Amino acid sequence: MKYSDFPQGSSKKQPGRSHGAQGHDAGAMARPRRRVTAGETHPIQPVEAPPVQYAKETPGDATRVIHKPRKQGGSQPPRGRKPSGAKTAKIVFLNLLKALLVLLCIGLIVLCIIGVQLAKYVAETTADDDVVLDLELLKLPQTGYILAQNPETGEWTEYQKLVRESNSIWVPLDRIPQQLVDAVVSTEDREFYEHNGVSFKRTAYAALNEVFQFQNTFGASTIDQQLVKNLTGEKEVVGEDGTMDAGYKRKTREIFRAWGLNNRYSKDMIMEAYLNTLPLSGTIVGVEAGAIEYFNKEVSELTLAESALIAGITQAPGKYNPFTNPDNALQRRNDVLYFMLENEKITQAEYDEAVGQPLGLNQGDVSAEQEETESEVTSYFTDAVFEEVVSDLVEQGICETREAAVDYYYTAGLRIESTVDLTLQAEMERVYELGWAEEGLFPEEVFTTTESGEEIHPQSAMAVVRYDGSLAGVVGGIGEKQESLGLNRATQSPRPIGSTMKPLAAYALGIDYDIIDYSSLVTDSYVLPEQNWPVNYGPTRPTGNSVLVCDAVAESLNTVPAHVGEWVGIEPMYDFLANTLEISTLVDEGSVNDMGLSPLVIGGMTQGVTAAELAAAYTMFGGDHGYGIHNTLHCYERVTDSRGNIVMEPEIATVQAISPESAYIMNRLLYNVLRSSGPVNGTASGMALTTTDSVGKTGTTTDDKDRWFVGLTPYYVSAVWWGYDQNELIEWSPRASTNPPPNVWHDIMEAVQAELPEKDFPEAPITVVERAFCRDSGLLASDGCGNRQTGYYAESSLPEVCQGNHVDPAAGGVACAADQAAA
């Protein structure tokens, strides 16, 4: 059909033509086109849009399109497009959608970054959870004990309970009554056996409660989460800076940890750990310790009402402590019973019976006694055990740091078999607690320092050691002990030891090296004449005469041992004291050190020696284990866990410090210190015990800053120090003329040894002989020597026999005074 065949006015649409309402009448046709005659070709040409006409509409002119005028400055929208308002709305919508998509992407990226950082944070902060949350090895904290051996039965008995932050006794789940488990579950976490460690419903509600405050408190923690808090100690919600950030971080860690805990262990193991670590006021931790504390019975014996009371305390231990807040505790117990009834764990009849019962506590008797025991100040011996065990736990690699060792000491349920002698320790504490009030022991007078004018009391310390190196008793101060783990002067305060040093290195090695013997003559003269050193104690200056070694020891001369020490040598003496006798406080470096005759012979040391180490050093001079033997000082025999497995034993070195002959000879030289021997009075003459054999050595430092006594019996070696904590020049009162250290030792040992079987020092080695010597020549006495005395010598190194000429070597070979008088 040709274009011309379409009738005028037809509503048939033409291809490519728009028929919008704008600019058209309803029935109008398109503008007429030129007719093409037969045979004429006419290519289609683009038709330009007619110019805009501003003509009025002419009636009857149906073929002309009349355009309405546009607003000035505007533009005609193209045909077929939507109006500009619609387009703008669409563009705004699309841009808004794009912006939302961008924000969503940014949010996802930020969430991913936060997630990665959170995962990293949780991984780093829970890196040690395999140890901290190891329920297989947990059984912590448990109360440990220091044990003492009963002197009569030999059995181990409790000496001191190790209580610091908690008193806990682990008990397995099968010994915990089911009603106590039901009480805890009904009160703390009814979905415990259904959830996977975390209740996300309760957590979400708690989070909303943080924002909208539906109620003042809302507990979202499951039993698993509470166990995590008990084991890690992470319970704070507010950080140190006062913000909640720390709390949110802790809560995040807690959730992950609880989830992991639930995946690793059974519900029964988690419940057992929880019941053994829940806090129950004060130092009481765990249901077994709580049952003993509040009802004086084991947890397996608890009634329903008692179980409910213990289950209710843990929410607020201070508020629900039945001893201090019985009304609160009773109300809380009844609330727990109601929760059990509501949770269908008990019947109405059981509930009615239980709520009608009184608290039924111990009436305070046992609890008060336990509280006094737990809060009492620990003894000096207990403090010594603490220091040694903690140090050994680190040195033997059981704990990496001292802090970890301290925690382990108090919480691992250790059984420490100590070396304390109960009778001896009690007598030492009695004498020292009487302190200045005990007449004849410690002067009561307050002395005044010459420099500061400060009035101060003197102090004292005493350590007693057996010959195997074990510490038998220790007291670190005069008067009643005021605090646990305070200053223990006997083990922690090294002081210069004065003349008690002389037998340890100079005399002992001089005899052992065969340089001197019991009766050798040594000149009483300066070793360093240019310095006029050393002088003897008191008004006696060096006389220039020869002195017998036995007399020099008894009178505690300084010159004679200084000569002997010079002959022995500085390095051998230092090595012997530091390495063989294990004196730990010697100094070998720096501008001020102990590499000299004054510290190694006379005892003027840089730091000094503690009473415990000094007593241990003297053990080589006699004992059941053999003369000349030194054992490492120690105050415990072994450490076991609560099941009896050995955790640790002290590392004890046993060495033959000097020959048995030399040790026995020194023992006999020290015998003279407590007695009058010939014309010489010992420095502690009259202090010999009446109950048993005894020997000893006094010591005094320059200006009387320190006074010492070391006493030996067949059972014990004791070291007593008396002086001032302040290292100042002291102006002593005439009342101090009575020397406290030997008097203290004498009183304590007389009382203690009276209760022991009679015993002598071990017999002399068969290689030691007893001979008479000539006091004039120091040689073995001949028939012509009238001035005789008994001495002790190694058979292999006996001195020569005196020929009767009695030549005094110090006088250049001139006959001695007695010989000249006889002539």
Side-chain angles (χ1 to χ4, degrees):
M1 178 182 291
K2 294 187 288 186
Y3 176 77
S4 58
D5 294 333
F6 284 98
Q8 292 290 331
S10 173
S11 62
K12 183 74 175 181
K13 292 184 179 180
Q14 299 182 39
R17 187 68 65 168
S18 173
H19 295 272
Q22 185 177 355
H24 294 272
D25 294 330
M29 292 293 294
R31 190 170 46 231
R33 297 177 180 270
R34 183 176 62 87
R35 185 181 299 274
V36 179
T37 58
E40 180 182 6
T41 62
H42 181 72
I44 297 175
Q45 298 292 332
V47 180
E48 295 182 0
V52 179
Q53 300 181 25
Y54 298 93
K56 292 183 180 180
E57 183 177 353
T58 303
D61 188 1
T63 62
R64 187 176 181 185
V65 179
I66 304 298
H67 296 274
K68 293 182 179 181
R70 291 169 296 191
K71 292 182 180 180
Q72 185 176 0
S75 61
Q76 178 69 22
R79 290 179 177 274
R81 294 186 181 182
K82 293 183 179 180
S84 60
K87 176 180 178 182
T88 301
K90 179 178 180 181
I91 292 173
V92 171
F93 173 76
L94 291 175
N95 289 338
L96 180 60
L97 181 61
K98 290 178 182 179
L100 291 175
L101 290 174
V102 170
L103 290 176
L104 179 61
C105 292
I106 293 174
L108 290 175
I109 293 172
V110 171
L111 288 176
C112 290
I113 294 174
I114 294 174
V116 171
Q117 292 299 320
L118 178 62
K120 181 181 178 182
Y121 170 76
V122 171
E124 290 176 349
T125 56
T126 62
D128 60 346
D129 281 5
D130 57 336
V131 176
V132 177
L133 302 180
D134 191 336
L135 302 189
E136 296 286 352
L137 300 177
L138 177 60
K139 305 293 186 284
L140 299 174
Q142 298 185 67
T143 301
Y145 298 90
I146 296 177
L147 306 177
Q149 203 162 23
N150 187 304
E152 297 180 358
T153 65
E155 297 180 353
W156 291 102
T157 59
E158 178 184 333
Y159 174 67
Q160 181 74 56
K161 183 183 292 185
L162 305 181
V163 177
R164 182 185 61 173
E165 296 176 352
S166 63
N167 175 19
S168 175
I169 303 173
W170 191 278
V171 60
L173 186 63
D174 58 12
R175 286 176 50 194
I176 300 174
Q178 183 61 41
Q179 60 194 10
L180 178 52
V181 177
D182 292 339
V184 170
V185 171
S186 300
T187 305
E188 300 294 330
D189 183 6
R190 296 188 185 182
E191 299 175 352
F192 171 71
Y193 291 101
E194 285 75 42
H195 61 60
N196 293 320
V198 179
S199 174
F200 291 103
K201 178 178 66 176
R202 295 171 65 185
T203 300
Y205 189 89
L208 292 174
N209 187 58
E210 281 288 325
V211 179
F212 300 106
Q213 289 294 312
F214 302 128
Q215 59 190 74
N216 292 333
T217 59
F218 182 83
S221 295
T222 63
I223 285 178
D224 308 68
Q225 289 173 264
Q226 294 180 50
L227 175 59
V228 168
K229 286 186 283 190
N230 292 342
L231 298 183
T232 62
E234 296 182 354
K235 301 180 182 181
E236 296 300 325
V237 175
V238 180
E240 295 181 357
D241 57 356
T243 67
M244 298 292 290
D245 293 346
Y248 297 142
K249 292 179 180 179
R250 181 199 61 77
K251 197 68 178 180
T252 301
R253 290 196 304 272
E254 178 188 295
I255 290 173
F256 277 92
R257 282 170 160 167
W259 201 354
L261 200 67
N262 190 84
N263 292 333
R264 292 169 60 189
Y265 300 105
S266 67
K267 289 293 185 179
D268 283 348
M269 289 188 68
I270 294 173
M271 178 58 70
E272 178 180 317
Y274 176 70
L275 292 175
N276 280 283
T277 59
L278 55 83
L280 295 175
S281 79
T283 62
I284 307 303
V285 173
V287 294
E288 178 75 354
I292 294 173
E293 173 73 7
Y294 300 126
F295 303 110
N296 195 27
K297 61 174 67 173
E298 295 182 358
V299 67
S300 59
E301 301 171 344
L302 293 179
T303 65
L304 172 61
E306 293 166 346
S307 296
L309 183 138
I310 288 181
I313 293 175
T314 187
Q315 185 187 60
K319 179 180 179 180
Y320 299 126
N321 185 326
F323 290 137
T324 58
N325 297 297
D327 293 339
N328 291 344
L330 181 63
Q331 181 60 52
R332 177 64 177 169
R333 183 203 69 176
N334 293 342
D335 288 344
V336 172
L337 290 169
Y338 177 78
F339 296 149
M340 296 179 71
L341 176 65
E342 189 180 48
N343 201 30
E344 299 181 353
K345 296 300 181 181
I346 58 175
T347 64
Q348 184 67 47
E350 290 173 324
Y351 169 80
D352 294 338
E353 180 183 0
V355 296
Q357 296 179 5
L359 289 178
L361 302 176
N362 284 327
Q363 306 301 324
D365 296 339
V366 175
S367 175
E369 180 179 337
Q370 290 176 345
E371 184 176 352
E372 180 180 355
T373 300
E374 293 167 6
S375 62
E376 69 178 355
V377 175
T378 56
S379 71
Y380 284 110
F381 197 96
T382 296
D383 294 354
V385 171
F386 168 84
E387 292 295 340
E388 185 172 324
V389 170
V390 167
S391 296
D392 286 356
L393 286 171
V394 177
E395 290 180 7
Q396 296 190 26
I398 297 172
C399 300
E400 291 187 1
T401 65
R402 177 178 172 84
E403 290 75 15
V406 171
D407 288 339
Y408 187 73
Y409 177 88
Y410 282 112
T411 62
L414 301 178
R415 303 295 187 267
I416 303 172
E417 297 175 1
S418 77
T419 61
V420 65
D421 184 310
L422 296 175
T423 303
L424 171 65
Q425 182 68 25
E427 179 63 16
M428 293 171 66
E429 290 174 355
R430 183 191 71 80
V431 170
Y432 270 79
E433 284 179 5
L434 290 174
W436 296 286
E438 182 71 6
E439 184 178 355
L441 295 180
F442 301 111
E444 295 182 79
E445 185 172 348
V446 175
F447 301 117
T448 305
T449 63
T450 58
E451 296 180 3
S452 65
E454 178 186 5
E455 291 186 346
I456 53 177
H457 267 296
Q459 266 295 345
S460 181
M462 181 177 183
V464 181
V465 179
R466 300 183 187 89
Y467 288 97
D468 62 358
S470 60
L471 187 67
V474 62
V475 176
I478 301 174
E480 184 178 357
K481 194 170 186 286
Q482 298 297 319
E483 61 179 337
S484 300
L485 298 177
L487 177 62
N488 189 340
R489 296 172 181 85
T491 60
Q492 297 176 319
S493 295
R495 301 291 299 220
I497 61 175
S499 296
T500 56
M501 177 65 86
K502 298 169 185 175
L504 293 179
Y507 284 133
L509 293 183
I511 295 173
D512 207 47
Y513 292 176
D514 202 17
I515 296 173
I516 59 171
D517 56 40
Y518 187 94
S519 59
S520 294
L521 285 173
V522 181
T523 306
D524 177 18
S525 63
Y526 295 124
V527 174
L528 301 175
E530 66 281 3
Q531 300 178 17
N532 291 334
W533 185 90
V535 296
N536 296 318
Y537 181 77
T540 304
R541 311 292 294 183
T543 62
N545 298 327
S546 295
V547 179
L548 295 167
V549 166
C550 57
D551 291 350
V553 173
E555 294 184 297
S556 196
L557 298 182
N558 293 333
T559 54
V560 172
H563 282 294
V564 176
E566 186 179 32
W567 300 334
V568 171
I570 300 297
E571 291 189 2
M573 286 192 295
Y574 184 94
D575 179 72
F576 180 73
L577 292 168
N579 298 321
T580 303
L581 300 186
E582 299 180 297
I583 294 177
S584 63
T585 48
L586 290 170
V587 179
D588 63 349
E589 297 178 345
S591 58
V592 179
N593 57 61
D594 296 325
M595 298 295 291
L597 292 175
S598 177
L600 300 180
V601 177
I602 311 301
M605 307 169 69
T606 305
Q607 297 181 7
V609 182
T610 64
E613 286 194 351
L614 180 58
Y618 266 79
T619 58
M620 64 177 171
F621 296 139
D624 293 336
H625 293 74
Y627 285 104
I629 292 177
H630 177 268
N631 294 281
T632 302
L633 175 66
H634 58 283
C635 61
Y636 72 96
E637 297 293 345
R638 67 174 183 169
V639 178
T640 65
D641 60 21
S642 58
R643 298 180 180 179
N645 301 312
I646 296 178
V647 174
M648 180 178 66
E649 294 177 321
E651 296 178 345
I652 301 173
T654 301
V655 297
Q656 188 72 49
I658 55 178
S659 69
E661 297 88 352
S662 300
Y664 183 79
I665 293 168
M666 276 305 312
N667 179 288
R668 293 300 86 188
L669 286 169
L670 296 173
Y671 180 92
N672 300 329
V673 175
L674 305 184
R675 299 164 179 86
S676 297
S677 178
V680 176
N681 291 323
T683 54
S685 180
M687 287 291 105
L689 300 179
T690 61
T691 54
T692 187
D693 195 4
S694 56
V695 303
K697 183 70 186 75
T698 58
T700 306
T701 61
T702 305
D703 300 313
D704 275 336
K705 290 181 182 177
D706 306 277
R707 289 193 177 190
W708 288 90
F709 180 76
V710 180
L712 292 76
T713 75
Y715 286 99
Y716 307 111
V717 179
S718 309
V720 183
W721 166 81
W722 188 58
Y724 290 85
D725 291 331
Q726 298 85 346
N727 190 22
E728 298 188 33
L729 297 177
I730 303 300
E731 191 178 272
W732 289 86
S733 162
R735 292 190 61 181
S737 58
T738 300
N739 197 10
N743 282 277
V744 171
W745 170 80
H746 184 276
D747 276 26
I748 291 175
M749 283 298 128
E750 282 279 295
V752 171
Q753 301 237 175
E755 304 297 324
L756 298 174
E758 188 174 344
K759 184 179 181 180
D760 294 325
F761 284 109
E763 293 183 358
I766 59 174
T767 53
V768 172
V769 295
E770 183 178 336
R771 295 286 189 270
F773 68 90
C774 175
R775 286 191 54 85
D776 293 322
S777 65
L779 303 177
L780 296 182
S782 63
D783 293 340
C785 297
N787 193 9
R788 293 167 174 254
Q789 188 175 322
T790 300
Y792 303 86
Y793 307 91
E795 191 174 28
S796 61
S797 56
L798 287 170
E800 297 179 357
V801 177
C802 179
Q803 300 301 315
N805 57 357
H806 302 150
V807 174
D808 185 352
V814 178
C816 67
D819 213 25
Q820 292 174 355

